[in-house]
């Protein structure tokens, strides 16, 4: 049995792999345990690491440091690729208001943290307070950024590294409960009826502007003999003619199609109504297109060819070349109107209408090879990480800072990943990964990071958590979790924001998935998830940058 004992006592490659596998498998198994439908997920990997670290399991320090940082980079870069496509669009229309409220939660959280530091600075240092803040908002990426910045400060000042992950571990469970408590308090304060909130939300969604599908019989004699392009120029709104029946057969109209009185035309539009189109075209009618479109088929095609990445729908000339019309685009679950200037990306699912032969040609052009989507863009990922490390290593000089700031191995890859996720197609880089592939990469990186942090911090965990110091950390964490979210939640409710939107906003501002699951359980609506995904990209970026600068300024 000596060989078995040596696996746990002698430092080796096998020992390192065994310890990490043990921590991650144990932590992920415990993380799946649900209490009232809520689980902590990968966070239990941290607690498993703390437990094994407490029992003095050793890993080579250089190996431990590498796995911690490499796991953090994988996690951060995957998050950046995930939020990148929606990062800039989240600031449009309603998203601007929600992001403004989320920004206030972030600012109030930072202010609460700084206020508690000055109140308790004889008992809690600023680095530890940043660790507590990261746990209080369940922001693992912020903890990684803070640890990296603290490492830079300690290296420059030749001081020992403070285990701020202990503060994170102590406050994390309370942050989940505290965020849910805020949702419960807002509901109680305003005596909110969730059924009524769901009804109001459904009414609002039903009255919002949605794409209309309208059929007209052309009766306006002024249109006789004009091309479709000439008629669209007179309309002045974005509209797509998807089918036309000329009395003999159904065709897919294109820009040069000549319109005649008596033609029946199908229009898809977002920003117009039947009256406006009726004045231009003629009579709005009910028409069974299926009776006259035997030669046409509808099919959903997935864009998988890399050379399509970055091209517009108009660039493909599918209508003029193959009599095929793109009617709708679904990108990451969001339906988009198929405008000629809409830029296509790998992974887009396009609905096309046309004859069988034309559809086959469209498939050859767009790809529709689903296997390609299962192949992660490895070159893009590692070129992006390389570029992010270079960007993060550039010193940035700020007045009144004792040393130049750096984006580091967290901020640099995050920014590059966001930019690649949004603009990578302009460089002809394929950045699309399936949801499962992105989740796999992200969870792997997160588990490596949390296991490493747990092993490093395990020695003093039990002594700290069951002490007056641990109680102080816990109370500070509750304050940072509850105060900002409750204040902004109340303000948002006075501004007549839907309760489910507020729940998603608070969960997103805390980057906290378990409370989102609680909010989703209150109603069949997906409004909490929509609000969460709207604010998550900006908040994730701000939390990471804020944690770094708080260390550099106050440490």
């Amino acid at each position: 049995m000596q060989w078995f004992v040596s696996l746990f006592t002698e430092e080796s490659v096998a020992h390192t792999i065994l310890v990490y596998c043990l921590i991650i498998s144990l932590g992920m198994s415990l993380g799946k345990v649900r209490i009232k439908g809520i689980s902590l997920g990968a966070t239990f990997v941290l607690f498993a690491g703390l437990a094994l670290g407490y029992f003095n399991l050793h890993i080579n320090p250089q190996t431990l440091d590498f796995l911690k940082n490499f796991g953090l980079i994988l996690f951060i870069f995957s998050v950046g690729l995930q939020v990148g496509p929606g990062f800039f669009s989240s600031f449009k229309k309603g998203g601007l208001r929600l992001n403004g409220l989320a920004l206030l939660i972030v600012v109030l959280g930072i202010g609460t943290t700084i206020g508690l530091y000055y109140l308790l600075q004889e008992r809690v240092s600023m680095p530890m307070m940043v660790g507590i803040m990261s746990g209080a908002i369940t922001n693992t990426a912020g903890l990684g950024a803070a640890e990296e910045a603290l490492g830079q400060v300690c290296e420059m000042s030749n001081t020992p590294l403070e285990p701020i992950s202990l503060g994170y571990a102590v406050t994390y469970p309370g942050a989940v409960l505290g965020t849910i408590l805020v949702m419960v308090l807002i509901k109680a304060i305003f005596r909110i009826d969730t059924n009524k909130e769901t009804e109001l939300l459904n009414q609002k969604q039903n009255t919002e502007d949605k794409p209309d599908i309208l059929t007209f019989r052309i009766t306006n004699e002024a249109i006789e003999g004009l091309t479709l392009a000439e008629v669209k120029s007179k309309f002045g709104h974005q509209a797509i003619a998807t089918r036309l029946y000329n009395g003999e057969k159904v065709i897919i109209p294109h820009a040069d199609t000549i319109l005649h009185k008596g033609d029946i035309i199908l229009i898809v539009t977002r920003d117009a109504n039947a009256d406006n189109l009726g004045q231009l075209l003629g009579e709005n009618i009910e028409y069974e297109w299926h009776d006259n479109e035997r030669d046409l088929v509808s099919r959903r095609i997935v864009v998988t060819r890399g050379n399509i990445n970055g091209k517009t729908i108009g660039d493909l000339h599918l209508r003029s070349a193959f009599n095929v019309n793109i009617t709708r685009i679904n990108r990451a679950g969001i339906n988009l109107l198929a405008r000629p200037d809409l830029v296509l990306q790998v992974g887009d699912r396009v609905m096309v209408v046309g004859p069988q032969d034309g559809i086959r040609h469209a498939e050859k052009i767009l790809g529709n090879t689903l296997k390609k989507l299962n192949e992660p863009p490895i070159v893009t990922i590692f070129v992006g990480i390389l570029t992010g490390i270079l960007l993060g290593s550039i010193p940035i000089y700020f007045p009144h800072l004792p040393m130049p700031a750096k984006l580091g191995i967290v901020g640099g890859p995050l920014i590059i990943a966001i930019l690649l996720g949004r603009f990578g197609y302009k460089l002809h880089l394929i950045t699309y990964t399936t949801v499962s592939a992105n989740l796999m990469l992200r969870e792997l990186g997160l588990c490596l990071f949390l296991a490493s942090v747990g092993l490093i911090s395990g020695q003093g965990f039990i002594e700290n958590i069951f002490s007056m110091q641990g109680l102080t950390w816990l109370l500070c964490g509750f304050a940072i979790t509850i105060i900002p979210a409750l204040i902004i939640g109340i303000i948002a409710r006075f501004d007549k924001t839907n309760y489910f939107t507020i729940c998603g906003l608070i969960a997103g501002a805390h980057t906290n998935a378990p409370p989102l699951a609680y909010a989703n359980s209150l109603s069949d609506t997906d409004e909490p998830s929509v609000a969460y995904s709207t604010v998550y990209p900006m908040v994730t970026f701000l939390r990471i940058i804020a944690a770094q600068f708080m260390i550099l300024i106050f440490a």
Side-chain angles (χ1 to χ4, degrees):
M1 292 295 292
Q2 182 59 35
W3 64 270
F4 184 76
V5 175
S6 65
L7 280 176
F8 290 89
T9 56
E10 297 178 7
E11 292 185 4
S12 64
V13 173
H15 168 76
T16 301
I17 294 174
L18 183 143
V19 170
Y20 272 90
C21 289
L22 180 62
I23 292 172
I24 293 172
S25 58
L26 179 62
M28 292 301 291
S29 298
L30 292 173
K32 290 182 179 180
V33 176
R34 293 182 176 272
I35 301 175
K36 293 187 180 292
I38 298 172
S39 65
L40 294 183
T43 309
F44 257 105
V45 174
L46 172 64
F47 296 115
L50 288 168
L52 293 189
Y54 178 77
F55 289 109
N56 212 22
L57 271 179
H58 288 292
I59 298 290
N60 181 278
Q62 287 79 19
T63 303
L64 187 64
D65 190 54
F66 167 76
L67 289 173
K68 183 186 79 168
N69 289 314
F70 184 65
L72 180 61
I73 290 171
L74 286 180
F75 171 63
I76 289 294
F77 196 82
S78 301
V79 169
L81 283 181
Q82 177 196 20
V83 305
F87 185 80
F88 297 97
S89 61
S90 67
F91 298 105
K92 297 178 181 178
K93 296 183 179 179
L96 185 61
R97 177 174 171 274
L98 281 180
N99 275 287
L101 292 171
L103 175 62
L104 290 176
I105 293 177
V106 173
V107 172
L108 282 176
I110 294 172
T112 304
T113 303
I114 295 173
L116 289 170
Y117 164 68
Y118 281 116
L119 183 66
L120 303 168
Q121 57 183 316
E122 293 183 0
R123 300 172 62 182
V124 185
S125 68
M126 177 51 79
M128 184 57 72
M129 193 62 75
V130 174
I132 292 169
M133 181 186 74
S134 298
I137 55 176
T138 65
N139 193 266
T140 307
L143 172 67
E147 285 201 318
E148 188 199 2
L150 183 61
Q152 295 177 21
V153 172
C154 292
E155 185 178 352
M156 293 288 291
S157 59
N158 198 26
T159 55
L161 192 65
E162 190 172 3
I164 63 175
S165 56
L166 289 177
Y168 171 92
V170 168
T171 56
Y172 190 106
V176 175
L177 298 176
T179 305
I180 294 175
L181 177 61
V182 171
M183 298 177 184
V184 173
L185 287 174
I186 292 173
K187 181 182 177 183
I189 291 171
F190 292 96
R191 299 179 180 178
I192 293 172
D193 182 347
T194 54
N195 292 327
K196 186 176 180 180
E197 289 296 298
T198 302
E199 182 181 344
L200 292 173
L201 191 62
N202 290 333
Q203 290 176 359
K204 179 183 176 182
Q205 290 175 342
N206 290 333
T207 57
E208 285 179 348
D209 183 33
K210 296 181 178 179
D212 292 319
I213 301 176
L214 307 169
T215 301
F216 293 91
R217 177 180 284 110
I218 297 176
T219 58
N220 186 354
E221 295 184 358
I223 290 179
E224 176 67 34
L226 296 181
T227 65
L228 181 61
E230 291 172 334
V231 174
K232 289 180 69 174
S233 66
K234 292 177 179 292
F235 181 51
H237 294 277
Q238 183 63 50
I240 298 172
T242 62
R243 301 172 202 178
L244 185 140
Y245 177 59
N246 58 15
E248 298 179 359
K249 61 180 180 178
V250 174
I251 65 171
I252 304 297
H254 50 80
D256 296 330
T257 299
I258 297 176
L259 303 181
H260 299 283
K261 187 177 178 181
D263 288 348
I264 297 176
I265 190 168
L266 182 66
I267 303 291
V268 178
T269 183
R270 182 179 295 275
D271 56 357
N273 55 50
D275 292 336
N276 291 337
L277 280 167
Q279 292 175 7
L280 177 68
L281 298 174
E283 182 184 2
N284 184 10
I285 64 171
E286 296 290 332
Y287 188 77
E288 293 295 332
W289 285 97
H290 297 291
D291 294 340
N292 288 299
E293 56 180 12
R294 298 181 184 88
D295 296 331
L296 299 180
V297 295
S298 298
R299 186 168 301 168
R300 191 176 296 278
I301 298 176
V302 183
V303 178
T304 58
R305 292 190 61 179
N307 63 335
I308 299 298
N309 218 21
K311 289 187 176 181
T312 65
I313 292 176
D315 291 336
L316 303 181
H317 303 294
L318 293 180
R319 266 198 273 188
S320 58
F322 309 113
N323 205 25
V324 169
N325 194 37
I326 296 178
T327 59
R328 292 185 298 279
I329 307 286
N330 184 279
R331 178 176 298 161
I334 300 173
N335 288 316
L336 306 172
L337 193 64
R339 306 185 313 270
D341 61 342
L342 180 69
V343 175
L344 294 171
Q345 297 180 13
V346 171
D348 285 350
R349 287 162 167 77
V350 303
M351 178 63 74
V352 297
V353 179
Q356 288 278 8
D357 290 343
I359 294 291
R360 281 194 287 269
H361 284 294
E363 283 184 327
K364 292 179 181 178
I365 291 173
L366 297 174
N368 211 31
T369 308
L370 296 180
K371 288 184 179 179
K372 287 190 176 182
L373 294 183
N374 296 326
E375 301 173 4
I378 296 297
V379 173
T380 300
I381 290 173
F382 281 95
V383 168
I385 291 175
L386 170 64
T387 308
I389 295 297
L390 292 174
L391 176 64
S393 301
I394 299 174
I396 306 172
Y397 294 89
F398 290 95
H400 309 300
L401 280 183
M403 65 186 70
K406 294 180 181 179
L407 292 172
I409 62 171
V410 174
L414 174 67
I415 291 174
I416 293 298
I418 289 174
L419 294 176
L420 282 177
R422 176 61 183 87
F423 301 109
Y425 69 87
K426 293 189 176 182
L427 301 175
H428 302 288
L429 292 173
I430 298 175
T431 59
Y432 176 84
T433 56
T434 61
V435 174
S436 58
N438 184 281
L439 183 61
M440 179 71 176
L441 197 63
R442 190 167 75 240
E443 290 291 291
L444 175 62
L446 180 60
C447 287
L448 288 175
F449 173 73
L450 290 177
S452 303
V453 169
L455 286 171
I456 294 170
S457 307
Q459 290 272 321
F461 180 69
I462 299 297
E463 291 80 0
N464 280 287
I465 194 171
F466 294 107
S467 65
M468 186 58 66
Q469 186 180 44
L471 179 61
T472 302
W473 294 352
L474 188 62
L475 293 176
C476 287
F478 263 115
I480 296 169
T481 299
I482 293 173
I483 293 174
L486 186 59
I487 291 174
I488 300 305
I490 291 173
I491 292 174
R493 187 59 185 176
F494 273 122
D495 197 32
K496 299 182 179 179
T497 303
N498 187 275
Y499 174 66
F500 299 116
T501 303
I502 295 173
C503 290
L505 164 69
I506 292 170
H510 285 177
T511 61
N512 202 332
L516 176 63
Y518 168 78
N520 283 329
S521 70
L522 299 177
S523 173
D524 294 334
T525 178
D526 62 351
E527 184 61 19
S529 297
V530 172
Y532 180 94
S533 62
T534 299
V535 303
Y536 181 83
M538 182 202 70
V539 167
T540 300
F541 177 78
L542 289 179
R543 295 290 192 190
I544 291 171
I545 300 301
Q548 287 180 305
F549 273 85
M550 289 175 71
I551 293 291
L552 293 174
I553 293 172
F554 290 97

